[in-house]
Amino acid sequence: MTHNIDTQYIRLLGSQLGLFKEKGNKVWNFRCPCCGDSQKSKVKARGYVFQKKNDLFYKCHNCGVGMTLGNLIKHVDPNLHKEYIMERYKANTPNNNEKPKFEFKKPVFKTNTEPLKFLKNFVELGEEHPATQLLQKRMLPTQFYNDLYFTDGFFEYVNTLIPNKFPTITGDHPRLVIPFFDENKKMFGLQGRSFGSEKPKYITIMLEDKPKVFGLDRINLKEKVYIVEGPLDSLFIDNCLAMAGSDMILDIKDSTIIFDNEPRNLEIIKKMSDTIDKGKQIVIWPDSIKEKDINDMIVNGMSVDEIHKIISNNTFSNLHAKTRLIDWKKI
Ligand SMILES: [Zn+2]
């Protein structure tokens, strides 16, 4: 019955949204709280909440931002969001009546995004910021701008989460902060990607002792899961996780592993071979593809659809995969 909860909460949120109107047929229209909508015209309202499958989604036709209703509520009113999450949680819990009471008291919702409290996401940062321009250059889908964060001093930021993680902050610099969330949208780690030539390009910081996996908050385990190497690459592929530097192949039955396109990298070739030995499906990129990873393919002009097609046409397993791997590797 999350349905009714969604409707109830978009109406509640409406009091805080400019020019809020219920249009009927599960459509609501208002001024976009992310971009502020038109600055010239105070009567323009280009934000829409609408139904998609069983959930409500938000889309702005001015700034292009798109997100779940939950994230919209979180953006406008974090306190209302906590209530909303709690209501949905209760409604989604099977055997509601038998549920022991203490489970509702877990503080998990209060601290979910606590590690991000002092950072701005890229919707808040705005288009003019140089860091946002890097995201644009990498052509990252704008619907993820509110799940990616910016810090102007990565070492100092990490030290606020894990005291003395970086004993010296000499050479501190800005980074893109990519949070790792679990299924309950609780943050358990992060990856910092440099904007310039600072090395290493990616630094992974774990807040809990868990596998370094990105995207657990977004995937549906009942459907086929794709697994890539890099978090940013995973944003282009449907139902996709990233094993952020972890060697662990998740124990997900219906999964396809997509390694980077590095036929000269012995370490990757070895991992691919091991993955095939475990009976997993893997993607081996066709020889015509020169780019190293999915994000590079996008930047060089390939569409997401083309990439999905290449992936499905180049998925192999067992003997077929073995033969193709021998063909593909360049060393
Ligand atoms: Zn907008």
Side-chain angles (χ1 to χ4, degrees):
M1 284 279 116
T2 54
H3 230 67
N4 297 336
I5 296 171
D6 278 1
T7 304
Q8 183 195 344
Y9 273 78
I10 180 61
R11 286 176 182 153
L12 279 172
L13 193 70
S15 65
Q16 303 182 51
L17 298 166
L19 302 180
F20 180 79
K21 258 190 226 83
E22 183 154 2
K23 298 270 205 186
N25 276 331
K26 300 250 168 202
V27 176
W28 291 264
N29 173 232
F30 43 89
R31 279 171 74 80
C32 175
C34 300
C35 64
D37 224 299
S38 173
Q39 298 304 301
K40 283 185 212 144
S41 166
K42 296 286 168 222
V43 295
K44 276 204 173 140
R46 284 167 294 189
Y48 290 89
V49 163
F50 57 94
Q51 191 171 5
K52 203 160 109 190
K53 290 191 183 151
N54 276 324
D55 289 302
L56 293 184
F57 281 82
Y58 173 62
K59 177 96 193 143
C60 168
H61 296 306
N62 187 41
C63 64
V65 69
M67 59 183 88
T68 59
L69 176 67
N71 279 335
L72 176 72
I73 297 172
K74 187 164 104 186
H75 179 80
V76 177
D77 185 342
N79 285 323
L80 188 66
H81 181 249
K82 279 178 205 160
E83 281 177 42
Y84 168 76
I85 291 291
M86 193 61 92
E87 289 302 318
R88 291 213 11 151
Y89 179 68
K90 283 192 244 170
N92 277 326
T93 308
N95 302 325
N96 224 349
N97 310 335
E98 293 159 32
K99 190 126 196 83
K101 259 190 180 148
F102 67 86
E103 290 208 22
F104 293 116
K105 287 184 184 158
K106 279 187 189 168
V108 52
F109 298 118
K110 279 183 190 150
T111 55
N112 263 0
T113 53
E114 183 100 3
L116 299 165
K117 197 162 59 176
F118 299 114
L119 299 185
K120 278 187 175 170
N121 67 37
F122 280 82
V123 174
E124 293 161 337
L125 208 58
E127 278 184 23
E128 302 302 315
H129 196 282
T132 312
Q133 285 163 18
L134 178 114
L135 265 59
Q136 287 167 348
K137 220 168 89 191
R138 298 303 298 164
M139 300 177 79
L140 297 177
T142 49
Q143 74 257 37
F144 297 113
Y145 276 23
N146 51 355
D147 272 336
L148 299 170
Y149 289 77
F150 173 76
T151 173
D152 52 9
F154 185 73
F155 298 160
E156 203 176 355
Y157 166 61
V158 171
N159 282 349
T160 66
L161 307 176
I162 306 170
N164 221 28
K165 178 81 183 175
F166 293 98
T168 164
I169 57 165
T170 317
D172 206 359
H173 53 271
R175 275 182 184 250
L176 164 64
V177 174
I178 306 167
F180 296 178
F181 295 112
D182 68 11
E183 299 81 350
N184 302 312
K185 197 89 189 173
K186 181 173 188 289
M187 184 173 163
F188 64 92
L190 64 104
Q191 200 171 58
R193 181 199 191 275
S194 65
F195 291 103
S197 55
E198 299 91 354
K199 295 276 182 287
K201 190 164 184 184
Y202 293 93
I203 300 177
T204 306
I205 303 287
M206 299 307 288
L207 306 174
E208 289 176 34
D209 188 19
K210 283 188 176 184
K212 297 172 184 172
V213 178
F214 170 81
L216 290 168
D217 54 320
R218 294 190 295 117
I219 57 152
N220 178 357
L221 286 169
K222 289 183 192 133
E223 284 174 19
K224 181 197 259 307
V225 176
Y226 291 92
I227 302 173
V228 296
E229 295 192 59
L232 297 183
D233 291 323
S234 76
L235 301 179
F236 296 98
I237 306 296
D238 296 335
N239 215 36
C240 189
L241 292 174
M243 8 164 214
S246 87
D247 282 336
M248 199 198 69
I249 301 300
L250 287 165
D251 195 19
I252 299 173
K253 238 190 192 166
D254 191 9
S255 62
T256 297
I257 325 289
I258 308 172
F259 287 96
D260 283 350
N261 188 27
E262 293 194 75
R264 287 192 173 80
N265 184 327
L266 262 185
E267 198 192 336
I268 291 203
I269 294 166
K270 170 84 170 62
K271 275 189 200 169
M272 290 169 86
S273 177
D274 291 348
T275 307
I276 298 167
D277 289 341
K278 284 185 184 132
K280 289 282 176 191
Q281 293 191 331
I282 71 166
V283 169
I284 303 179
W285 297 100
D287 297 337
S288 58
I289 305 274
K290 300 298 173 213
E291 291 84 358
K292 195 185 115 314
D293 59 38
I294 291 168
N295 199 177
D296 283 351
M297 294 174 205
I298 296 279
V299 170
N300 282 347
M302 262 193 212
S303 71
V304 166
D305 283 350
E306 280 175 274
I307 293 174
H308 276 112
K309 212 172 278 168
I310 292 171
I311 287 172
S312 73
N313 289 338
N314 293 276
T315 300
F316 304 92
S317 59
N318 299 320
L319 194 58
H320 202 171
K322 284 266 170 205
T323 334
R324 176 71 191 114
L325 182 64
I326 291 167
D327 242 28
W328 173 81
K329 64 179 188 181
K330 297 261 165 52
I331 40 174

